[in-house]
Amino acid sequence: MKYYITTPIYYPSGKWHIGHCYTTIICDAIARFHRMKGEDVFFTTGTDEHGQKVEKEAAKRGVTPLAFITPLVDEIKEMWSLLDVSYDRFIRTTDPAHAECVQKIYQKLYDSGDIYKSEYEGYYCVPCESMWTEAQLVNGKCPDCGRAVERRKEESYFFRLSKYAPKILKHYGDNPEFLQPKSRVNEMVNNFLKEGLQDLSVSRTNVKWGVPLPFDERHTAYVWVDALINYLSVLGYLSADDSLFKKYWSANLHLMGKEIVRFHAIIWPAILMALGLPLPERNYGHGWLLIGGEKLSKSKETGSEELTDPYELVKRYGADAVRYFLLREIPFGSDGEYTNERFLLRVNADLANDFGNLVSRTEAMILQNFGCVPQRGKEEAVDKELIALANGTFAKVESAMEKLNAPDALSAIFALVSRANKYIDETTPWALAKDPAKKDRLGAVLYNLAEVVRMTAILLKPFLTKAPALVLKSLSQDENAGFEALQFGGLKGGEKVEKLEPLFPRIDVKKEMQAVAEFVRANRKKSEPKKTEKKQETMKKELITIDEFDKVEIRVGEVVACEKVAKSEKLLHETVRIGGEVRSVVSGIGKFYTPEEMVGKKVVVVTNLKPAKLCGVLSEGMILCAEDGEGNLSLVSPEKLMESGGSVR
Ligand code: ME8
């Protein structure tokens, strides 16, 4: 059986936080789960690289969009590698094969009449790359992110989205699996579909960094359509080799955060319908990781002391801890608050105390008393209860994972871990060890424990990527074992046992929280641009040519008289001699220089500004000053003695 699963393709913003890892880690656990069931899984992720945001950022830095974005793509790949994300394909929307697929799809839809030319008028949110009608704005702002929008009117190609609204509604009705959880269906129906849909503007003339339309090169593809097409282009749809497409389409699962359900559950199915392709089996819009009730997001500075950097979290606690927290702590489908404390408590309680302890106690007692796995022994009632639970756990995990519910799956596995720890307390192997007559019973107990440890390690493999393999190896078991190895009794007596280093060192939560808060504070200080840098950042202007610069006439002048401008604290009125000419200039430097200080100073003046009146006083030029990040001004003067009237270039 095939299983095609996708994450959204990420905007390579470079500001990664643990919220970003959520979608991908869940997908990875689901992909691993299906692989372990013996299914033919194809799991894709990638990066969404076109659009105005990237174009603007690259221009600010004076580099090409591709040069700007490629290191950020490498960063996200590194992040997935640190977290052991087992994707089969990583797709970039800048891959030429993807662009070709986008063009072919646009051409197909243009030829069939589903794309047509018209004029677009509306409101555009640049950070979200989303277009809104006036009615959709909330207090005149973007309804998704709350930021200011730009009014736009331009020629555009439109996709006949309106035509597909009734078909999409019908599809929701006929296929309850198609969009989950149910609350998202209500959102889509009430907020969008009920009223009918408007046709969608799917091309831009003002965005150059995008895929040019094959039938009109002045237009580039709308980034969201470009991005959605990755789910097909990654399979080679409409390419010379479309074997992956034939094998894997349609998607069994598109998983995404709830804010982008609209694109996946309305626009995407409409495009697929227009292409005559089967629709994905299931879309799931998960909740968000929050800090202080707000979505953890790359553009919002929370000012909190929570450590959200995935690289640092993996460095401190390991990939398993980060994966476990994400998969276990946030109720699936809902939002969940993220704090250092919750992270540390969860990892400590479940991984260090429950699982880590079970493994280390079991293996230590086996090594002390037998040196290798003892033989399976006679089973008492308490053993039978543990065995039944061990044998029944996979069904619970499977049922939870069918609902994509990793927290429930993990909770079933940890119920087994807890039961096994309780079993140790009940059977008191340390007491059995003291009595040679009870050696057989001790062997039976330790066998049962070793077997539960082995089964737990296998059950945990979709979720954790390091510890289960180490545990299986320490029991001389195949680390690649799938779920077929889950029957109790699979472990053979006599297997070699190797001592393990502690899998999850216990954390002193209080101390660690202090250390983390200090780290976050120090790091924030380091990364906060100084005020001057901030100012410089906002001061970056468009590049100009030398001819444009040449239009500005700048000359050396000498202040021959100066007085305060009446009723103004800031303004000084200077009389400046520039060569043979005398000019009246008003400048805002009254807080930094007294009129007396000014007289006799050599200054640099822009002399071809149109004259203007400031507080009623004529100003025929501008004296140049340098400004620091605090707004302090300092006159700019020629470093060597210069005659007044000399030109500045
Ligand atoms: O939306 N909690 O990319 P993206 C949980 N390029 N999940 C979060 C989160 C949080 N605080 N913040 C982000 C895009 N995510 C588009 C997708 S697909 C055709 C185009 C999740 O980089 C978010 O919900 O903004 C999404 O699933 C993923 O991170 C990538 O978001």
Side-chain angles (χ1 to χ4, degrees), residues 160-331:
R160 290 192 198 283
L161 189 60
S162 57
K163 177 171 134 188
Y164 293 97
K167 292 186 194 177
I168 294 170
L169 267 174
K170 182 170 182 317
H171 191 82
Y172 285 4
D174 295 345
N175 301 274
E177 286 257 292
F178 179 72
L179 178 55
Q180 295 173 338
K182 198 140 190 66
S183 54
R184 311 277 180 248
V185 178
N186 301 338
E187 261 168 55
M188 292 303 113
V189 173
N190 295 333
N191 300 350
F192 303 103
L193 288 158
K194 211 166 62 186
E195 302 286 314
L197 297 171
Q198 292 188 0
D199 286 353
L200 178 72
S201 160
V202 291
S203 79
R204 302 284 179 272
T205 47
N206 61 337
V207 182
K208 299 290 165 243
W209 181 236
V211 180
L213 300 196
F215 43 84
D216 189 342
E217 296 245 320
R218 293 172 304 127
H219 289 251
T220 53
Y222 170 41
V223 276
W224 259 104
V225 174
D226 173 6
L228 287 163
I229 287 174
N230 93 83
Y231 301 133
L232 285 173
S233 68
V234 73
L235 299 177
Y237 175 62
L238 298 180
S239 76
D241 177 5
D242 65 353
S243 49
L244 288 175
F245 168 74
K246 286 193 178 121
K247 188 167 173 197
Y248 292 112
W249 189 259
S250 67
N252 297 79
L253 174 65
H254 290 316
L255 183 72
M256 74 220 67
K258 61 183 177 182
E259 78 284 14
I260 54 175
V261 164
R262 182 165 72 93
F263 299 96
H264 287 80
I266 295 180
I267 299 175
W268 187 225
I271 293 174
L272 292 169
M273 283 172 178
L275 291 169
L277 293 177
L279 302 195
E281 199 178 300
R282 172 147 52 160
N283 285 286
Y284 196 103
H286 64 65
W288 291 333
L289 262 74
L290 311 173
I291 287 191
E294 280 205 43
K295 182 183 177 218
L296 191 48
S297 110
K298 58 192 163 222
S299 52
K300 274 184 208 147
E301 276 299 337
T302 58
S304 76
E305 284 177 355
E306 312 307 340
L307 175 60
T308 60
D309 173 3
Y311 302 90
E312 184 62 26
L313 284 165
V314 172
K315 200 165 107 193
R316 281 175 179 256
Y317 313 113
D320 275 354
V322 176
R323 290 174 65 101
Y324 184 75
F325 172 81
L326 289 171
L327 292 164
R328 176 68 185 88
E329 183 76 13
I330 321 292

Side-chain angles (χ1 to χ4, degrees), residues 386-615:
L386 179 70
I387 293 167
L389 187 67
N391 277 333
T393 300
F394 177 68
K396 292 180 198 155
V397 172
E398 189 175 35
S399 145
M401 289 306 277
E402 267 161 20
K403 300 183 197 91
L404 315 174
N405 198 326
D408 279 3
L410 282 167
S411 140
I413 299 171
F414 276 79
L416 175 62
V417 171
S418 294
R419 184 66 195 87
N421 277 321
K422 194 167 153 228
Y423 175 86
I424 298 182
D425 297 339
E426 287 164 350
T427 53
T428 59
W430 59 88
L432 297 174
K434 286 189 190 136
D435 184 349
K438 296 195 171 140
K439 185 97 180 176
D440 283 355
R441 179 63 191 144
L442 177 64
V445 165
L446 291 182
Y447 175 88
N448 294 339
L449 284 169
E451 186 51 334
V452 168
V453 165
R454 180 189 74 91
M455 290 172 78
T456 305
I458 295 174
L459 288 164
L460 281 174
K461 273 178 58 180
F463 311 98
L464 310 184
T465 53
K466 310 276 190 222
L470 291 172
V471 170
L472 288 170
K473 239 170 91 186
S474 77
L475 291 172
S476 312
Q477 300 301 295
D478 178 8
E479 349 166 1
N480 298 316
F483 294 134
E484 69 287 344
L486 274 177
Q487 194 53 36
F488 191 95
L491 183 63
K492 290 195 181 58
E495 291 279 26
K496 208 169 115 203
V497 176
E498 257 170 41
K499 193 172 159 19
L500 271 176
E501 292 301 312
L503 292 169
F504 300 98
R506 190 157 320 153
I507 304 168
D508 181 334
V509 174
K510 248 192 176 162
K511 260 197 194 155
E512 182 62 14
M513 275 179 58
Q514 277 171 3
V516 169
E518 258 163 45
F519 175 85
V520 172
R521 274 197 300 267
N523 233 42
R524 186 178 308 135
K525 264 202 194 129
K526 245 194 275 162
S527 65
E528 245 175 30
K530 293 196 189 77
K531 277 190 182 160
T532 331
E533 286 168 28
K534 252 192 212 160
K535 182 102 190 174
Q536 283 163 348
E537 190 68 23
T538 53
M539 270 168 48
K540 275 186 188 154
K541 291 184 181 162
E542 248 179 68
L543 297 178
I544 56 166
T545 62
I546 187 81
D547 292 343
E548 283 168 308
F549 178 71
D550 234 22
K551 288 183 187 161
V552 187
E553 187 184 79
I554 311 173
R555 295 173 69 190
V556 177
E558 185 178 347
V559 180
V560 290
C562 183
E563 59 184 0
K564 284 192 162 200
V565 171
K567 290 190 201 141
S568 168
E569 262 186 43
K570 263 171 71 180
L571 296 181
L572 294 184
H573 176 201
E574 298 96 0
T575 305
V576 186
R577 189 168 57 78
I578 302 164
E581 202 188 337
V582 173
R583 292 213 187 181
S584 157
V585 176
V586 178
S587 38
I589 52 172
K591 280 193 181 164
F592 308 98
Y593 294 92
T594 61
E596 297 73 40
E597 274 178 298
M598 289 298 290
V599 177
K601 282 215 185 306
K602 283 273 167 57
V603 288
V604 172
V605 189
V606 178
T607 48
N608 64 338
L609 274 182
K610 282 192 181 145
K613 277 199 169 170
L614 297 171
C615 282

Side-chain angles (χ1 to χ4, degrees), residues 361-373:
R361 287 206 285 176
T362 302
E363 295 197 350
M365 287 188 289
I366 289 178
L367 284 170
Q368 248 171 35
N369 296 288
F370 296 91
C372 63
V373 175

Side-chain angles (χ1 to χ4, degrees), residues 17-67:
H17 56 69
I18 187 166
H20 282 121
C21 306
Y22 190 56
T23 320
T24 301
I25 293 301
I26 299 171
C27 271
D28 185 63
I30 297 170
R32 286 173 185 268
F33 181 82
H34 283 269
R35 283 193 202 109
M36 282 182 69
K37 277 177 65 170
E39 290 171 24
D40 178 0
V41 172
F42 198 67
F43 166 29
T44 67
T45 187
T47 40
D48 184 355
E49 303 180 28
H50 288 131
Q52 205 162 38
K53 242 185 312 185
V54 174
E55 192 172 274
K56 281 189 174 171
E57 287 297 316
K60 245 206 256 174
R61 291 163 176 78
V63 295
T64 64
L66 196 61

Side-chain angles (χ1 to χ4, degrees), residues 110-150:
Y110 185 62
D111 293 345
S112 65
D114 268 315
I115 284 182
Y116 64 94
K117 190 154 128 183
S118 183
E119 203 169 57
Y120 165 75
E121 223 182 325
Y123 295 86
Y124 196 70
C125 174
V126 175
C128 295
E129 307 275 13
S130 293
M131 216 119 51
W132 303 99
T133 60
E134 188 151 14
Q136 286 172 321
L137 300 181
V138 175
N139 300 327
K141 302 267 167 64
C142 171
D144 268 359
C145 72
R147 279 174 282 213
V149 287
E150 293 173 9

